[in-house]
């Protein structure tokens, strides 16, 4: 620790790379101490305003004093108070009261610590979703543009990571987009399902507030409604213990973990495509791929997304276990855990969305490589078309099938045993048996005839399912993103 009065060397202390290296300033602020304790003061103000409007002896002067000091936080004093009191909420009550001496007596009136703690958490979670949703929409928009551009470009499809039927570059991208659209809907639903804890008292019974209002149940209900509205929520949870149910946190982190799974899959696909040299993520002019191998172009952005997405996916285990062991009205073993997992989930989601946006804005496609891979595999896929063409030309299906079986095995041996190119079509062209269809071979091997309805599916999907869900975010669609590191 630095001695009193000495400037602390920040490089001598651990700093989470989620904030120091990756996360956006907006998301970092959302989980900052300033946002947290500033929100506490606003919640104390909302409570005092509502209590005053319902007849408690609180003066305009007291309210004005609180309003004037919402952001006048002496963090050093608060830290000293917490060290002395071993209670963060009471430390900040005292700190707020110090700069609001006239209002000191009514700050936190009737409330328990979770009034500011849990309600602030819910505000921060809501605001976190509001930061993530436009970013997710931008990623979907960028990928939709990419899918539209390459809707017709044939590409070799893979099942089991083995060559399968053809698809198109745009259609494959739509698989990514569809998952992200599900995530967009899940995030919106999770945000909209959030309620306010409200003013519920120590064990959720509102007993302290009922005493303040001398047994008037209607005023207690109205107090809860007023404060909930002031905080920007439409509803509060009707029943709580000392805290809101920790199952709420499960729902929040579950949708973020699901987003992490989607992005991990997308970026894994991009990494595999980079190995195939079909598609690459953007690569800066002066970027170094390897310290030892100058020629390398490592998919480092996609690797970063996969690395952080794994962390995001594991974080949902924290609220699952926390909710399972909350005894009766609450235990405090939730607190330290939630300080870590809630913030890290949103920070991590923020980072991987920003990174994926950067990737999606600069994807590089190599059509010639894609065409070459199709040429290597398409001849085998075209065998049924060749058989049907021969039958139409008067051939016998069984005879044709046997001829093709022999030629395809010979061609496969050239590829697998000799490392040569697939010469199946050359063998067909050289065999007099297939002379009736030699002139048809070019059309029979047209890759676009093997992609089915992929181009039409892309167009319909983007028009009917993707573009409509982006409408609420249209004003936030602009602007490219540059990664600092």
């Amino acid at each position: 620790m630095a001695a009193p009065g000495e400037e602390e060397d920040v490089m001598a202390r651990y700093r989470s790379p989620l904030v120091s290296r990756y996360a956006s300033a907006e998301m970092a602020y959302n989980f900052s101490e300033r946002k947290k304790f500033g929100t506490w003061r606003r919640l104390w103000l909302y409570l005092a305003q509502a209590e005053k409007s319902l007849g408690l002896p609180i003066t305009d002067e007291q309210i004005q004093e609180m309003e004037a000091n919402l952001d006048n936080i002496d963090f050093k004093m608060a830290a000293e108070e917490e060290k002395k009191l071993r209670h963060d909420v009471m430390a900040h009550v005292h700190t707020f009261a110090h700069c609001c001496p006239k209002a000191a007596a009514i700050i936190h009136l009737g409330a328990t610590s979770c009034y500011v703690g849990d309600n602030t958490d819910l505000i921060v979670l809501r605001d976190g979703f509001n930061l993530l949703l436009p970013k997710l929409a931008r990623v979907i928009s960028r990928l939709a543009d990419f899918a539209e551009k390459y809707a017709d470009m044939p590409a070799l499809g893979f099942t089991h990571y083995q060559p399968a039927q053809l698809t198109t570059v745009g259609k494959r991208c739509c698989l990514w987009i569809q998952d992200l659209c599900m995530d967009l809907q899940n995030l919106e639903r999770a945000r909209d399902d959030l309620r306010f804890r409200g003013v519920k008292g120590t064990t959720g019974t509102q007993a302290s507030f009922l005493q303040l209002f001398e047994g008037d149940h209607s005023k207690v209900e109205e107090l809860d409604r007023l404060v909930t509205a002031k905080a920007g929520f439409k509803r509060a949870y009707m029943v709580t213990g000392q805290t809101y149910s920790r199952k709420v946190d499960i729902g929040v982190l579950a949708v973020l973990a699901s987003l992490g799974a989607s992005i991990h899959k997308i970026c894994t696909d991009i990494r595999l495509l980079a190995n195939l040299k079909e598609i690459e993520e953007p690569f800066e002019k002066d970027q170094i791929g390897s310290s030892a191998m100058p020629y390398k172009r490592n998919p480092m952005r996609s690797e970063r997304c996969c690395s952080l997405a794994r962390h995001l996916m594991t974080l949902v285990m924290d609220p699952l276990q926390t909710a399972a062991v909350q005894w009766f009205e609450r235990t405090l073993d939730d607190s330290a855990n939630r300080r870590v997992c809630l913030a890290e989930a949103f920070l991590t989601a923020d980072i991987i969305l920003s990174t994926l946006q950067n990737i999606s804005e600069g994807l590089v496609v190599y059509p010639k490589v894609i065409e070459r891979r199709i040429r290597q595999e398409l001849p085998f896929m075209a065998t049924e078309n060749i058989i049907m063409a021969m039958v139409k030309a008067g051939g016998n299906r069984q005879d044709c099938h046997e001829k093709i079986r022999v030629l395809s095995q010979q061609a496969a041996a050239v590829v697998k045993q000799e490392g040569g190119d697939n010469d199946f079509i050359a063998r067909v062209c050289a065999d007099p048996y297939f002379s009736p269809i030699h002139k048809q071979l070019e059309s029979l091997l047209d890759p676009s005839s093997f992609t089915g309805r992929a181009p039409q599916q892309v167009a319909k999907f983007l028009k009917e399912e993707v573009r409509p869900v982006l409408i609420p975010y249209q004003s936030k669609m602009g602007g490219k993103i540059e990664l600092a590191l």
Side-chain angles (χ1 to χ4, degrees):
M1 295 292 291
E6 291 184 5
E7 184 177 349
E8 185 177 1
D9 181 3
V10 296
M11 303 308 289
R13 298 181 64 188
Y14 173 78
R15 296 182 298 160
S16 169
L18 292 177
V19 174
S20 66
R21 188 172 178 90
Y22 300 127
S24 69
E26 295 82 6
M27 190 61 79
Y29 173 75
N30 190 52
F31 287 92
S32 69
E33 300 289 87
R34 186 167 294 280
K35 167 77 177 275
K36 174 181 177 179
F37 297 128
T39 303
W40 283 12
R41 291 194 175 189
R42 283 161 176 79
L43 287 168
W44 283 320
L45 173 64
Y46 300 156
L47 180 63
Q49 288 172 330
E51 288 173 338
K52 178 181 183 299
S53 70
L54 291 170
L56 291 189
I58 296 172
T59 67
D60 290 338
E61 190 176 24
Q62 289 172 314
I63 297 294
Q64 291 165 4
E65 189 179 52
M66 293 174 72
E67 289 175 333
N69 287 281
L70 291 176
D71 297 310
N72 178 27
I73 304 174
D74 186 339
F75 288 100
K76 183 178 180 181
M77 177 182 178
E80 291 170 351
E81 288 288 328
E82 183 173 354
K83 186 176 181 180
K84 179 173 61 177
L85 301 172
R86 307 296 295 177
H87 196 287
D88 57 350
V89 173
M90 287 310 300
H92 277 269
V93 169
H94 288 191
T95 303
F96 196 19
H98 179 75
C99 57
C100 299
K102 295 174 183 176
I106 55 92
I107 293 173
H108 200 66
L109 184 59
T112 188
S113 298
C114 286
Y115 166 69
V116 289
D118 270 33
N119 282 325
T120 292
D121 286 345
L122 290 162
I123 289 170
V124 168
L125 295 179
R126 178 198 64 193
D127 293 351
F129 278 127
N130 285 335
L131 290 172
L132 292 180
L133 282 164
K135 292 191 174 189
L136 177 52
R138 281 199 296 273
V139 170
I140 293 171
S141 175
R142 303 302 192 265
L143 290 175
D145 293 341
F146 179 86
E148 188 171 48
K149 181 177 180 180
Y150 294 101
D152 300 326
M153 181 179 286
L156 182 62
F158 290 88
T159 58
H160 313 275
Y161 200 40
Q162 300 298 315
Q165 288 186 346
L166 299 192
T167 183
T168 70
V169 173
K171 170 65 190 301
R172 175 178 283 145
C173 183
C174 284
L175 299 179
W176 304 339
I177 295 169
Q178 181 168 248
D179 287 352
L180 294 176
C181 284
M182 293 180 192
D183 292 315
L184 187 76
Q185 294 169 343
N186 289 339
L187 263 65
E188 288 176 337
R189 181 171 59 250
R191 177 199 61 188
D192 296 343
D193 283 349
L194 287 175
R195 300 189 191 186
F196 202 52
R197 179 190 176 274
V199 287
K200 297 297 195 296
T202 305
T203 57
T205 64
Q206 298 178 304
S208 59
F209 296 105
L210 191 63
Q211 184 176 2
L212 279 175
F213 289 103
E214 298 179 345
D216 190 329
H217 290 269
S218 63
K219 284 191 174 182
V220 175
E221 289 187 6
E222 181 64 6
L223 177 70
D224 205 0
R225 189 195 68 77
L226 286 173
V227 175
T228 297
K230 285 176 181 293
F233 285 81
K234 295 179 180 178
R235 297 180 299 171
Y237 296 107
M238 293 186 70
V239 294
T240 71
Q242 188 171 84
T243 68
Y244 67 79
S245 171
R246 294 311 184 218
K247 283 187 70 68
V248 173
D249 296 341
I250 297 173
V252 169
L253 265 64
V255 298
L256 296 181
S258 183
L259 171 65
S262 298
I263 294 179
H264 198 296
K265 184 265 193 288
I266 292 168
C267 290
T268 300
D269 283 357
I270 293 171
R271 292 165 66 189
L272 292 170
L273 289 166
N275 173 260
L276 296 174
K277 297 181 175 59
E278 292 190 4
I279 293 178
E280 286 182 343
E281 64 180 37
F283 198 86
E284 305 299 336
K285 177 175 177 287
D286 297 321
Q287 183 175 329
I288 295 175
S290 167
S291 61
M293 294 166 281
Y295 60 86
K296 293 194 75 180
R297 290 170 65 101
N298 298 333
M300 51 81 66
R301 292 169 174 83
S302 298
E303 290 173 314
R304 178 188 299 176
C305 284
C306 290
S307 181
L308 290 171
R310 285 200 298 274
H311 178 60
L312 178 55
M313 288 186 282
T314 64
L315 287 173
V316 71
M317 292 305 300
D318 278 337
L320 280 168
Q321 295 182 70
T322 294
V325 298
Q326 284 297 285
W327 304 343
F328 302 115
E329 280 65 47
R330 98 66 72 93
T331 59
L332 195 60
D333 62 339
D334 64 338
S335 179
N337 185 285
R338 294 175 69 254
R339 288 175 191 268
V340 176
C341 70
L342 296 180
E344 289 202 354
F346 279 87
L347 288 164
T348 307
D350 177 71
I351 295 159
I352 59 177
L353 281 174
S354 295
T355 309
L356 184 56
Q357 180 186 335
N358 177 266
I359 293 170
S360 63
E361 289 172 345
L363 285 172
V364 181
V365 178
Y366 295 105
K368 295 300 181 183
V369 179
I370 294 173
E371 290 171 11
R372 183 178 186 278
R373 183 155 284 108
I374 290 174
R375 287 197 303 270
Q376 288 290 308
E377 301 294 342
L378 188 60
F380 294 145
M381 299 174 194
T383 53
E384 186 63 26
N385 288 10
I386 292 172
I387 291 173
M388 297 305 295
M390 281 295 295
V391 171
K392 289 179 181 179
N396 179 282
R397 186 190 187 284
Q398 280 65 40
D399 292 341
C400 185
H401 184 279
E402 179 60 19
K403 283 276 189 181
I404 286 179
R405 185 188 70 81
V406 172
L407 294 181
S408 62
Q409 288 186 359
Q410 291 172 350
V414 170
V415 173
K416 295 178 181 179
Q417 297 175 20
E418 301 176 19
D421 292 335
N422 187 334
D423 62 358
F424 172 73
I425 297 302
R427 292 174 185 275
V428 171
C429 289
D431 192 325
Y433 176 82
F434 293 99
S435 58
I437 64 165
H438 280 169
K439 293 182 179 179
Q440 300 178 45
L441 285 176
E442 185 176 349
S443 61
L444 291 174
L445 291 166
D446 179 6
S448 63
S449 67
F450 289 83
T451 59
R453 297 192 64 255
Q456 291 75 22
Q457 288 179 343
V458 171
K460 187 177 179 67
F461 173 63
L462 295 180
K463 179 182 178 182
E464 296 184 11
E465 294 198 19
V466 179
R467 304 294 186 191
V469 304
L470 298 179
I471 290 173
Y473 304 97
Q474 285 298 327
S475 63
K476 300 178 180 179
M477 287 291 110
K480 285 195 171 187
I481 191 165
E482 300 293 337
L483 298 184
L485 292 171

